[in-house]
Amino acid sequence: MAVDYTVIVVYLAGMLAMGWWGMRRAKSKSEFLVAGRRLGPWMYSGTMAAIVLGGASTIGGVGLGYQYGLSGAWMVFTIGLGLLALSVFFSARIARLKVYTVSEMLDLRYGGRAGVISGVVMWAYTLMLAVTSTIAYATIFDVLFDLNRTVAIVIGGSIVVAYSTLGGMWSITLTDMVQFVVKTIGVLLLLLPIAVVKAGGFGEMKAKLPTEYFDPLGVGGETIFTYVLIYTFGMLIGQDIWQRVFTARSDKVARYGGTVAGTYCLVYAIAGAVIGTAAKVMYPKLPSADAAFATIVKDELPMGVRGLVLAAALAAVMSTSSGALIACATVANNDIWSRLRGAVGKPAGEAHDEVKGNRAFILAMGVAVIVIAIALNDVVEALTVAYNLLVGGLLVPILGGLLWRRGTAAGALAAVVAGGLSVIGLMWWYGILANEPVYYGLLTSLAVYAVVSLATKPTDAQVLAAWRERLAGRGAGPAAEQPAAEPAPTPQ
């Protein structure tokens, strides 16, 4: 294992070095939070794929393949579908807004009264997403170094907090590109073919497994529908995803780069399910489906390759964790704290102070994430709560604002409150893991949004005019911060 350990240690040291290098580039709020809005198609596609394909997509995707066969791909597949829908239909408009958060978009659209409440909901979602990603370090470091759970979470979480705090989105972008390459090599080019060969090929897999393992709908229609509601629609509105859209240097980069990333996700989904199916042939009686990834890596891969594939799993977790962390800190600082203390829109001369403030919030949120991750045990329930609140509370006001001119601020606020409370109440009644909370919560939010919007005065014509100007990319405002005085070369 010495070679494997060396690969992992070099990888982790490289992540910290990227953080230090990114710190030298992040000289303004725009550079720190959205990489100066200057990512080209290559970097944009890689980092977008990295943020959405985390530990749940890698370890969990293989686990679903182990449990259900090829239909286990549906969870990650719906993530890819959501990213494709976002990229094709909405990303260009989102990129042209030149904002930093989803709540700022809601303020622009509805006239400045939706920010704090929507910010709290988005903050809760990004916080729990960061926590669940951080918990995954325990599984990986246990396989690598046989570390105890708390130590593993502290080590993995501290590395992510360190490079995220140092350079913000620049550090995260640079590390995500490395993580994207490592995941592609480790999972798609190495683990996938090796697993299939070790299982005896597809013919042997079909001979040894029940036919339902090769049924594309074997996981169940209701489950697939729930995946679409939670993950496909979740991709459309999450702060962690939108913050990556804001990094694109143009709306064309956001559209086409995101389409490439979404297509990559579809391939990754199928690969994970095939690896899990192969693991079922080799290890038919594992105690847990989620152990399939670690087992096949530990027992079947040669030295060195094993270290690279485990680095790929670590990369998957780190990319989601860092993206969720900076999103959580951005929302906490810009949508909640700044609004509550009445200091929105500081003068341009204080940009450097804004970098320090956002850096402090990343550090604070990072410490909180690590502490909560140590205390929390049920990852699935925490992630379900996060996505139910996100979709039930914010999907309708956000998409309604983008698609329906008649939507009003009162309707948006009512939808956030009614949808959020409905989801919480229904999770208490049906159980956290039930499908009904997100179904009925979403319907409640939609009904309240439509009724209250139609019953209240239409949005002011000047607000809508300013909104249309921003959507067209012509509006100017404090959010459209200029790059630093000495811009770095544009990445491709």
Side-chain angles (χ1 to χ4, degrees), residues 52 64 74 393 489:
V52 300
L64 287 171
W74 273 108

Side-chain angles (χ1 to χ4, degrees), residues 135-168:
I135 291 174
Y137 294 124
T139 302
I140 299 171
F141 278 92
D142 178 56
V143 174
L144 287 173
F145 306 115
D146 194 26
L147 290 176
N148 125 329
R149 179 180 184 274
T150 298
V151 174
I153 289 173
V154 170
I155 291 175
S158 296
I159 292 171
V160 169
V161 172
Y163 73 69
S164 300
T165 302
L166 286 173

Side-chain angles (χ1 to χ4, degrees), residues 171-487:
S171 294
I172 292 171
T173 296
L174 296 170
T175 54
D176 277 359
M177 278 305 300
V178 175
Q179 291 158 357
F180 170 73
V181 173
V182 170
K183 279 192 288 191
T184 300
I185 296 173
V187 176
L188 297 185
L189 301 184
L190 292 176
L191 184 58
L192 174 61
I194 290 173
V196 172
V197 170
K198 291 283 187 178
F202 285 103
E204 189 71 12
M205 290 162 63
K206 286 185 177 180
K208 290 187 175 181
L209 294 174
T211 56
E212 55 262 29
Y213 265 72
F214 301 92
D215 180 357
L217 301 178
V219 71
E222 184 177 354
T223 298
I224 295 171
F225 181 67
T226 303
Y227 285 158
V228 170
L229 276 185
I230 292 178
Y231 297 113
T232 300
F233 286 117
M235 287 297 106
L236 298 181
I237 58 175
Q239 170 68 24
D240 52 324
I241 310 302
W242 277 41
Q243 201 156 344
R244 296 309 173 97
V245 176
F246 301 151
T247 66
R249 73 177 180 212
S250 69
D251 53 4
K252 290 184 179 179
V253 168
R255 180 184 292 114
Y256 296 116
T259 301
V260 170
T263 304
Y264 178 90
C265 292
L266 303 183
V267 175
Y268 201 88
I270 296 170
V274 171
I275 293 168
T277 304
K280 184 68 175 179
V281 173
M282 291 182 277
Y283 309 99
K285 295 183 179 180
L286 288 177
S288 166
D290 284 341
F293 181 90
T295 302
I296 195 172
V297 169
K298 194 173 184 179
D299 294 351
E300 302 297 336
L301 298 186
M303 183 174 58
V305 173
R306 180 171 52 224
L308 182 60
V309 174
L310 286 172
L314 199 56
V317 175
M318 282 187 159
S319 58
T320 300
S321 182
S322 59
L325 177 59
I326 193 172
C328 177
T330 302
V331 171
N333 188 16
N334 291 270
D335 290 339
I336 301 175
W337 174 245
S338 290
R339 294 166 190 260
L340 291 178
R341 68 188 176 96
V344 181
K346 291 182 179 180
E350 296 184 28
H352 187 66
D353 290 337
E354 288 189 326
V355 171
K356 288 182 178 180
N358 282 291
R359 185 173 281 136
F361 265 86
I362 291 180
L363 180 59
M365 292 297 104
V367 171
V369 164
I370 291 172
V371 171
I372 296 171
I374 291 171
L376 197 63
N377 288 318
D378 200 321
V379 180
V380 176
E381 288 195 356
L383 195 60
T384 301
V385 170
Y387 270 100
N388 281 354
L389 281 173
L390 176 70
V391 174
L394 291 180
L395 178 67
V396 170
I398 293 171
L399 294 190
L402 290 169
L403 299 174
W404 191 36
R405 177 188 174 93
R406 187 61 181 81
T408 66
L413 287 171
V416 172
V417 174
L421 292 178
S422 296
V423 164
I424 293 171
L426 290 166
M427 284 191 293
W428 176 80
W429 181 259
Y430 286 103
I432 289 176
L433 299 180
N435 293 326
E436 288 84 357
V438 72
Y439 294 169
Y440 300 143
L442 191 55
L443 289 174
T444 300
S445 179
L446 178 61
V448 169
Y449 180 72
V451 170
V452 175
S453 291
L454 291 173
T456 53
K457 184 180 178 181
T459 304
D460 185 87
Q462 290 185 340
V463 171
L464 286 177
W467 166 252
R468 287 193 295 270
E469 285 293 299
R470 292 294 284 269
L471 279 179
R474 295 188 295 267
E481 182 180 329
Q482 296 300 314
E486 297 180 2

